[in-house]
Amino acid sequence: MQPDTNSLQRNEFVVRKEQLYRALIAGCGILTILVTVGIVLSLSGKAFTFWANVSPIEFFTGTKWSPIISQSYGVLPLVSGTLIVTFFSALIALPVGLAAAIYLSEYASERARSILKPALEILAGVPTVIYGYMALVYITPLVDSVLPLSVRVLPPGLPVVPEFTFIMPSLRTFNALSASIVVGIMIIPMVSSISEDALSSVPDSLREAAYGLGSTKFDVSTKVVVPAATSGVVASYVLALSRAIGETMAVTMAMGMSPQMPYFPNVLRNLAESSQTMTAAIVQIAGADQTPGATYEAMFAIAMTLFVITLGMNVLAELVRRHFREVYE
């Protein structure tokens, strides 16, 4: 007896509907690619026009940024200000966010997780201007109340090596430390949420095997679960750092707009001084009454530089993620 093939065929309306869904989904994917290409083209056009008038060597190696007053276009003070905020905010957000993720994944009960995780993610919804106001009005006076501080790194009396002490001076009204603190608080939810999802996806069989060998919960969490979820944790770190690099309003309010090269060897002084990030410089130029010219086009050169830095971070993170990726049956 021959099977009835007609009963196995789909209705023509269903087939057309599936084709429409496929076309719409493919269109969304193509649209994201076109938007990215459009952003690159729009930035690169003005950026290369700027570099045709201002030497790229002067732009990337110059140590003075004053495009409006003295037409100085050295981007290093902006890059250093951006990296200072990113580095010190990462010192706050990455360990705290990962610790929160470990607690939510391995220690917290279902009831506690249902309350704490949404409460933690509320931080991501707070407008950045509020973070900037909090840094300016509350964090700076609070931190400044315990300054200045001296941290002796190398004691006196050592042969050959001279005595050296880090000195943290009193904070200026606008400073990098307060900006780093609020940006670090701002990106904690991103680290904790993505890392918690990665930790929760680790199979329970790995935990049970570790417990069977006599490991404690802390050992299982830090030596089994976290290494197994390295790719997801790294992804959360990169997204958080990209968010920190691109932050504008909070760092503008807390850090000010005084670009300058970092101080060495007393690096702690950089935290007490005002500086400027790349995004804040873009806002400053965009808000100024500028006619098309080198100063206006400098905004696109900064944006292109920032785009390349972020893209490089994402590529590096993807390589790390693939290297540490774990595949479970």
Side-chain angles (χ1 to χ4, degrees):
M1 182 177 179
Q2 297 293 329
D4 186 7
T5 57
N6 292 329
S7 62
L8 300 178
Q9 294 179 354
R10 291 184 175 179
N11 184 281
E12 183 178 355
F13 173 75
V14 175
V15 173
R16 292 184 178 275
K17 185 173 67 172
E18 288 296 319
Q19 291 175 344
L20 177 62
Y21 290 157
R22 180 179 179 178
L24 289 175
I25 295 172
C28 291
I30 295 173
L31 180 62
T32 58
I33 297 175
L34 293 178
V35 169
T36 304
V37 172
I39 291 174
V40 173
L41 292 177
S42 63
L43 292 178
S44 59
K46 294 287 186 181
F48 285 117
T49 302
F50 169 79
W51 286 321
N53 299 320
V54 177
S55 170
I57 297 177
E58 176 188 348
F59 179 76
F60 288 111
T61 62
T63 58
K64 183 179 180 181
W65 176 262
S66 181
I68 299 176
I69 298 175
S70 60
Q71 283 71 53
S72 300
Y73 299 102
V75 79
L76 283 183
L78 302 180
V79 174
S80 63
T82 301
L83 295 180
I84 287 172
V85 171
T86 303
F87 176 78
F88 286 100
S89 64
L91 290 182
I92 298 171
L94 301 190
V96 173
L98 180 59
I102 292 174
Y103 173 76
L104 291 173
S105 173
E106 305 301 316
Y107 288 87
S109 62
E110 288 295 331
R111 178 176 174 80
R113 187 181 297 112
S114 65
I115 297 173
L116 293 177
K117 189 171 182 179
L120 186 63
E121 292 176 348
I122 288 177
L123 292 174
V126 177
T128 57
V129 66
I130 295 179
Y131 282 108
Y133 177 81
M134 182 176 68
L136 192 62
V137 177
Y138 296 104
I139 295 180
T140 295
L142 179 63
V143 176
D144 195 46
S145 63
V146 299
L147 297 178
L149 289 176
S150 296
V151 181
R152 178 170 293 175
V153 180
L154 298 176
L158 292 178
V160 182
V161 182
E163 176 187 0
F164 183 75
T165 302
F166 280 124
I167 299 176
M168 181 66 186
S170 298
L171 299 181
R172 293 181 178 269
T173 303
F174 300 103
N175 59 87
L177 179 58
S178 297
S180 301
I181 292 174
V182 294
V183 172
I185 295 173
M186 193 184 309
I187 63 178
I188 284 175
M190 187 174 295
V191 177
S192 63
S193 180
I194 300 176
S195 296
E196 194 269 334
D197 292 338
L199 296 176
S200 298
S201 66
V202 175
D204 288 336
S205 58
L206 294 181
R207 298 179 176 86
E208 293 167 357
Y211 285 131
L213 294 174
S215 300
T216 63
K217 180 176 283 292
F218 181 79
D219 290 334
V220 172
S221 301
T222 57
K223 298 180 181 179
V224 177
V225 178
V226 172
T230 298
S231 61
V233 173
V234 170
S236 72
Y237 284 0
V238 173
L239 288 175
L241 292 179
S242 298
R243 175 76 174 84
I245 289 176
E247 176 52 38
T248 305
M249 183 55 67
V251 295
T252 301
M253 295 181 63
M255 196 175 182
M257 293 187 176
S258 301
Q260 54 187 318
M261 292 297 292
Y263 298 98
F264 292 104
N266 186 26
V267 294
L268 294 182
R269 181 180 173 185
N270 299 301
L271 296 175
E273 298 290 334
S274 173
S275 189
Q276 189 175 35
T277 62
M278 302 172 74
T279 53
I282 294 174
V283 171
Q284 185 181 26
I285 296 175
D289 187 11
Q290 291 293 328
T291 57
T295 300
Y296 174 75
E297 292 161 353
M299 175 173 60
F300 295 91
I302 298 172
M304 190 67 187
T305 305
L306 187 62
F307 177 81
V308 171
I309 292 174
T310 307
L311 179 63
M313 287 181 53
N314 289 331
V315 171
L316 179 62
E318 179 63 19
L319 295 176
V320 173
R321 189 189 69 82
R322 290 182 180 181
H323 179 75
F324 289 103
R325 185 181 179 184
E326 298 284 351
V327 179
Y328 302 105
E329 296 294 338

